[in-house]
């Protein structure tokens, strides 16, 4: 044993595993998803295999085609957990977090500079501790998510250069 840890998976490998997990969770074939994304099957296969660079437009198109969470797909790569994308596909957890961060940024603006890491860590870990205690769903929460998702989409750069 050399004591050298194995190389972590590449971003493409992580995204590939996340996309496959979500597609399988939805019970869809590659051809069905490619068609829903308005994409040639071979292009979709390259995307799903992780052979291409991370493409935010493809991630958002995939999420729309599979009714999943595009931000969970991105976070799955960031945190090294492809299963996070599958687990968040229905409840849109990462989209909810992104909406909350967007609204917080818009509200607090430059006062964000004055928040120290200790305060942020306490707030965020406190939120997750509360989530561990139980979960609730409501029509109000669904309306909040729908409005926030529309706001995220409106501020997202359009594909292309």
């Amino acid at each position: 044993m050399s004591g050298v840890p194995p190389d972590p998976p590449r971003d493409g490998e992580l995204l590939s595993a996340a996309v496959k997990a979500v597609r399988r969770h939805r019970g869809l074939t590659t051809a069905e998803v490619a068609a829903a994304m308005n994409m040639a099957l071979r292009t979709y296969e390259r995307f799903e295999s992780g052979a291409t660079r991370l493409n935010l437009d493809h991630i958002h198109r995939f999420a729309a085609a599979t009714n999943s969470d595009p931000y969970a797909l991105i976070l799955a790569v960031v945190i090294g957990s492809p299963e996070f994308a599958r687990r968040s596909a229905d409840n849109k957890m990462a989209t909810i977090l992104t909406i909350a961060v967007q609204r917080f940024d818009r509200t607090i603006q430059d006062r964000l500079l004055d928040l120290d890491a200790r305060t942020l860590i306490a707030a965020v870990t406190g939120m997750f501790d509360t989530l561990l205690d139980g979960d609730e769903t409501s029509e109000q929460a669904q309306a909040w998510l729908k409005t926030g998702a529309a706001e995220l989409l409106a501020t997202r750069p359009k594909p292309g250069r």
Side-chain angles (χ1 to χ4, degrees):
M1 185 164 168
S2 67
V4 176
D7 289 335
R10 292 179 13 260
D11 289 351
E13 292 168 336
L14 290 166
L15 182 62
S16 173
V19 166
K20 287 175 185 174
V22 169
R23 180 180 56 77
R24 290 175 181 145
H25 176 68
R26 292 291 187 237
L28 299 169
T29 66
T30 56
E32 290 170 327
V33 176
M37 290 176 66
N38 196 26
M39 180 181 284
L41 178 59
R42 182 65 189 128
T43 303
Y44 175 78
E45 289 170 341
R46 288 183 45 77
F47 165 68
E48 184 177 281
S49 73
T52 60
R53 296 182 74 128
L54 291 183
N55 182 318
L56 292 179
D57 180 51
H58 287 177
I59 290 169
H60 281 272
R61 287 168 61 187
F62 173 83
T66 59
N67 186 27
S68 60
D69 187 339
Y71 300 96
L73 290 161
I74 296 164
L75 274 178
V77 174
V78 171
I79 68 173
S81 175
E83 285 299 310
F84 178 77
R86 180 187 59 80
R87 293 181 192 121
S88 300
D90 295 327
N91 66 23
K92 311 292 192 276
M93 179 185 179
T95 292
I96 292 166
L97 290 170
T98 306
I99 292 165
V101 168
Q102 180 190 51
R103 289 180 175 183
F104 183 71
D105 176 63
R106 190 172 48 227
T107 302
I108 196 167
Q109 297 184 4
D110 281 346
R111 290 180 294 150
L112 181 60
L113 294 164
D114 299 327
L115 292 178
D116 63 53
R118 184 177 49 187
T119 302
L120 293 169
I121 290 167
V124 173
T125 57
M127 174 192 66
F128 284 114
D129 290 345
T130 300
L131 287 172
L132 289 173
D133 292 338
D135 61 332
E136 297 179 24
T137 60
S138 71
E139 291 177 19
Q140 185 179 12
Q142 292 302 316
W144 183 93
L145 177 58
K146 184 177 180 179
T147 301
E151 290 173 3
L152 282 175
L153 188 59
T155 59
R156 185 174 163 264
K158 302 297 179 234
R161 297 182 197 269

